[in-house]
Amino acid sequence: MRSRKLTCASINFIVVLLSQSVHSQLQVGFYGNSCSLAEFIVKDEVRNSFFRDQGVTAGLVRLHFHDCFVRGCDASVLIDSTPSNKAEKDSPANNPSLRGFEVIDNAKARLEAICKGLVSCADIVAFAARDSVELTGGLSYGVPAGRRDGKISLASETLTDLPPPSFNVDQLTKFFSNKGFTQEEMVTLSGAHTIGRSHCTSFSNRLYNFNGTTNQDPSLDAIYASQLKQQCPQGNTNPNLVVPMDPSSPAITDAGYYTNILANRGLFTSDQTLMTNAATANQVSQNARSTMLWRSKFAAAMVKMGQLDVLMGNGGEIRSNCRVINS
C-alpha cells in the first residue's frame, strides 16, 4: 500500500512538472495578466453545460483528441464547412458523433466581450477538456496555454489522422507512435472511453458481421453482446442510436473501462484488442487495479497530447469566431 501511495505521489509530481515545462513556449497561467478570468469563464461554461447534460463532458474530451490528432491542437476541428471546402467536423469520423461545439462558442463569446482578440479557440478547447475530466471525477491538471488557431480544416485529413474503432493493437501502437506517444500512453489515453457514448455503427460489425466465418466477435462477452443487440437491433437505420461506453459509470472518469476489458466487455475492437498483447494486457490490469494511478497517468498524457504540433508566436491567428477563419 505504501509503495502504491508513493507511486501515485510521484506521478502527481510528474504531472505538475509536465504542466509547467514540457513545452517552453506554452505556459500554465498564460492569460494570468492579459485575461485573468479566461480559465474561470471556460470552466463556468463547461459546468453549466454539464448540469444540463452530463454527457457533454465526454464530448469535450473527445473534441480535444480529435482537434490535436489532426493538424495539431489548433482548433481546426471547430471550423465550419463552406461551399468550397468540407471541414473536419463534417467528416464521417466526426459527424454526427462529435459534440460540445456550443460550449466552446459560449465561452468564446464571453471572452471576446471582455478580452477581445486575446484567447484562442485552441486554448479554450484544451481548458474545456481539462475541466471535463475534473468534473467527472478525474484529476485536474495545469494546462500550458498560448496556442494559436489554425486556418485550414480538411475533412479528408481525418481519414489518416484519427484511429478508427476497428484498429488492432499493432495498428494502434504504430499510430500513436507516429504521434509521439509510447504504447503505455496509448493504453492510458484509450481510457478516455470510460465516459461518453458510442453510435451503434461504430461497433455493430462485432455483433452481426464480424468476419467471413462468424457473425459475432468471439472475444465479446456473450451476455454483453446480447444486451448490445437489444440496444442496437440488426438492420436499424437510425444514425443517432447510441449506447454508453462504460454502462456501469458512463459519466465518471474511473478505471471501469479497464475492468470492462478484463471481462471481455470492451465496446470497440480497438478497446478489446488491448488484451491480445502481453504488455498492453498487463497495463490494462494495472489500471483496473488502481483508478488513482490511471487518473494520474491520464492527466500527464493529456498534458502531453495538448502540445501536439501547436501554433505559436506569429503562426495562425486568434479567431474572433471559433467557427470561421478571420477575414
Coordinates of all heavy atoms in Angstrom, one line a residue, residues 205-223 225 229 263-266 269 272 276:
N205 N -20.5 -4.2 -36.4 CA -19.9 -5.3 -37.1 C -19.5 -6.4 -36.1 O -19.4 -7.6 -36.5 CB -18.7 -4.8 -37.9 CG -17.5 -4.4 -36.9 OD1 -17.7 -3.4 -36.2 ND2 -16.4 -5.0 -37.0
R206 N -19.2 -6.1 -34.9 CA -18.8 -7.1 -33.9 C -20.0 -7.9 -33.5 O -19.9 -9.0 -32.9 CB -18.2 -6.4 -32.6 CG -17.0 -5.6 -32.9 CD -16.3 -5.1 -31.6 NE -15.8 -6.3 -30.8 CZ -15.6 -6.2 -29.5 NH1 -15.9 -5.2 -28.8 NH2 -15.0 -7.3 -28.9
L207 N -21.2 -7.4 -33.8 CA -22.4 -8.1 -33.4 C -23.0 -8.9 -34.5 O -23.6 -10.0 -34.3 CB -23.5 -7.1 -32.9 CG -23.1 -6.2 -31.7 CD1 -24.2 -5.2 -31.5 CD2 -22.8 -7.0 -30.5
Y208 N -22.9 -8.4 -35.7 CA -23.7 -9.0 -36.8 C -22.8 -9.4 -38.1 O -23.3 -10.2 -38.9 CB -24.7 -8.1 -37.3 CG -25.7 -7.6 -36.2 CD1 -25.7 -6.3 -35.7 CD2 -26.5 -8.5 -35.6 CE1 -26.6 -5.9 -34.7 CE2 -27.4 -8.1 -34.6 CZ -27.4 -6.8 -34.2 OH -28.3 -6.4 -33.2
N209 N -21.6 -8.9 -38.2 CA -20.9 -9.1 -39.4 C -19.4 -9.1 -39.1 O -18.6 -8.3 -39.7 CB -21.2 -8.1 -40.5 CG -20.6 -8.4 -41.8 OD1 -20.4 -9.5 -42.2 ND2 -20.3 -7.3 -42.6
F210 N -18.9 -9.9 -38.2 CA -17.5 -9.8 -37.7 C -16.5 -10.2 -38.8 O -15.6 -9.5 -39.1 CB -17.4 -10.7 -36.5 CG -16.0 -10.5 -35.9 CD1 -15.5 -9.3 -35.4 CD2 -15.2 -11.6 -35.7 CE1 -14.3 -9.1 -34.9 CE2 -13.9 -11.5 -35.2 CZ -13.4 -10.3 -34.8
N211 N -16.7 -11.4 -39.4 CA -15.8 -11.9 -40.5 C -16.6 -12.9 -41.3 O -17.8 -13.2 -41.1 CB -14.5 -12.4 -39.9 CG -14.7 -13.6 -38.9 OD1 -15.6 -14.4 -39.1 ND2 -13.8 -13.6 -38.0
G212 N -15.8 -13.5 -42.2 CA -16.5 -14.5 -43.1 C -16.9 -15.8 -42.5 O -17.7 -16.5 -43.1
T213 N -16.5 -16.1 -41.3 CA -16.9 -17.3 -40.7 C -17.8 -17.2 -39.5 O -18.4 -18.2 -39.1 CB -15.6 -18.1 -40.2 OG1 -14.9 -17.3 -39.3 CG2 -14.7 -18.4 -41.4
T214 N -17.8 -16.0 -38.9 CA -18.7 -15.8 -37.7 C -19.3 -14.4 -37.7 O -18.6 -13.5 -38.1 CB -17.9 -16.0 -36.4 OG1 -18.8 -15.8 -35.3 CG2 -16.7 -15.1 -36.3
N215 N -20.5 -14.4 -37.3 CA -21.2 -13.1 -37.3 C -20.8 -12.2 -36.0 O -20.6 -11.0 -36.1 CB -22.7 -13.3 -37.3 CG -23.2 -13.8 -38.6 OD1 -22.7 -13.5 -39.6 ND2 -24.3 -14.6 -38.5
Q216 N -20.7 -12.9 -34.9 CA -20.4 -12.2 -33.6 C -18.9 -12.4 -33.2 O -18.4 -13.5 -33.3 CB -21.3 -12.8 -32.5 CG -21.1 -12.0 -31.2 CD -22.2 -12.5 -30.2 OE1 -23.4 -12.4 -30.5 NE2 -21.7 -13.0 -29.1
D217 N -18.3 -11.3 -32.8 CA -16.9 -11.3 -32.4 C -16.8 -12.3 -31.2 O -17.4 -12.1 -30.1 CB -16.5 -9.9 -32.0 CG -15.0 -9.8 -31.6 OD1 -14.4 -10.9 -31.4 OD2 -14.5 -8.7 -31.6
P218 N -16.0 -13.4 -31.3 CA -15.9 -14.3 -30.2 C -15.2 -13.8 -29.0 O -15.3 -14.4 -27.9 CB -15.1 -15.5 -30.8 CG -14.3 -14.8 -32.0 CD -15.2 -13.8 -32.5
S219 N -14.5 -12.7 -29.1 CA -13.9 -12.1 -27.9 C -14.8 -11.2 -27.1 O -14.5 -10.7 -26.0 CB -12.7 -11.2 -28.4 OG -13.1 -10.0 -29.0
L220 N -16.1 -11.1 -27.6 CA -17.1 -10.2 -26.9 C -17.9 -11.1 -25.9 O -18.4 -12.1 -26.4 CB -18.0 -9.6 -27.9 CG -19.0 -8.5 -27.5 CD1 -18.2 -7.3 -26.8 CD2 -19.8 -8.0 -28.6
D221 N -18.0 -10.7 -24.7 CA -18.8 -11.4 -23.7 C -20.2 -11.6 -24.2 O -20.8 -10.7 -24.7 CB -18.8 -10.6 -22.4 CG -19.7 -11.2 -21.4 OD1 -19.3 -12.2 -20.8 OD2 -20.8 -10.7 -21.2
A222 N -20.7 -12.9 -24.2 CA -21.9 -13.2 -24.8 C -23.1 -12.5 -24.2 O -24.0 -12.0 -24.9 CB -22.2 -14.7 -24.6
I223 N -23.1 -12.3 -22.8 CA -24.2 -11.6 -22.2 C -24.2 -10.1 -22.6 O -25.3 -9.5 -22.9 CB -24.2 -11.7 -20.7 CG1 -24.3 -13.2 -20.3 CG2 -25.2 -10.8 -20.0 CD1 -24.2 -13.4 -18.8
A225 N -22.9 -8.9 -25.4 CA -23.3 -8.9 -26.8 C -24.8 -8.9 -26.9 O -25.4 -8.2 -27.8 CB -22.7 -10.1 -27.5
K229 N -27.2 -6.1 -28.6 CA -28.1 -6.4 -29.8 C -29.5 -5.8 -29.5 O -30.2 -5.4 -30.4 CB -28.1 -7.9 -30.0 CG -26.9 -8.4 -30.7 CD -27.0 -10.0 -30.9 CE -25.7 -10.5 -31.6 NZ -25.8 -12.0 -31.7
A263 N -13.2 -8.1 -18.5 CA -14.3 -9.0 -18.6 C -14.8 -9.2 -20.0 O -16.0 -9.7 -20.2 CB -15.5 -8.4 -17.7
N264 N -14.0 -8.9 -21.0 CA -14.4 -9.0 -22.4 C -15.6 -8.2 -22.8 O -16.4 -8.6 -23.6 CB -14.6 -10.5 -22.8 CG -13.4 -11.4 -22.7 OD1 -12.3 -10.9 -23.0 ND2 -13.5 -12.6 -22.2
R265 N -15.6 -7.0 -22.2 CA -16.7 -6.1 -22.4 C -16.2 -4.8 -23.0 O -16.9 -3.7 -22.8 CB -17.6 -5.9 -21.1 CG -18.3 -7.1 -20.7 CD -19.2 -6.9 -19.5 NE -20.1 -8.0 -19.3 CZ -21.4 -7.9 -18.9 NH1 -21.9 -6.7 -18.7 NH2 -22.1 -9.0 -18.8
G266 N -15.1 -4.8 -23.6 CA -14.7 -3.6 -24.4 C -15.6 -3.4 -25.6 O -15.8 -4.3 -26.3
T269 N -13.5 -2.8 -31.1 CA -12.4 -3.7 -31.4 C -11.1 -3.1 -30.8 O -10.3 -3.8 -30.3 CB -12.2 -4.0 -32.9 OG1 -13.4 -4.6 -33.4 CG2 -11.0 -4.8 -33.2
Q272 N -11.0 -3.9 -27.0 CA -10.7 -5.3 -26.5 C -9.4 -5.8 -27.0 O -8.8 -6.7 -26.4 CB -11.9 -6.2 -27.0 CG -11.9 -7.5 -26.3 CD -12.1 -7.3 -24.8 OE1 -13.0 -6.6 -24.3 NE2 -11.3 -8.1 -24.0
T276 N -4.8 -8.6 -26.4 CA -4.2 -9.5 -27.3 C -2.7 -9.3 -27.3 O -2.0 -10.1 -28.0 CB -4.7 -9.3 -28.7 OG1 -4.4 -8.0 -29.2 CG2 -6.2 -9.5 -28.7

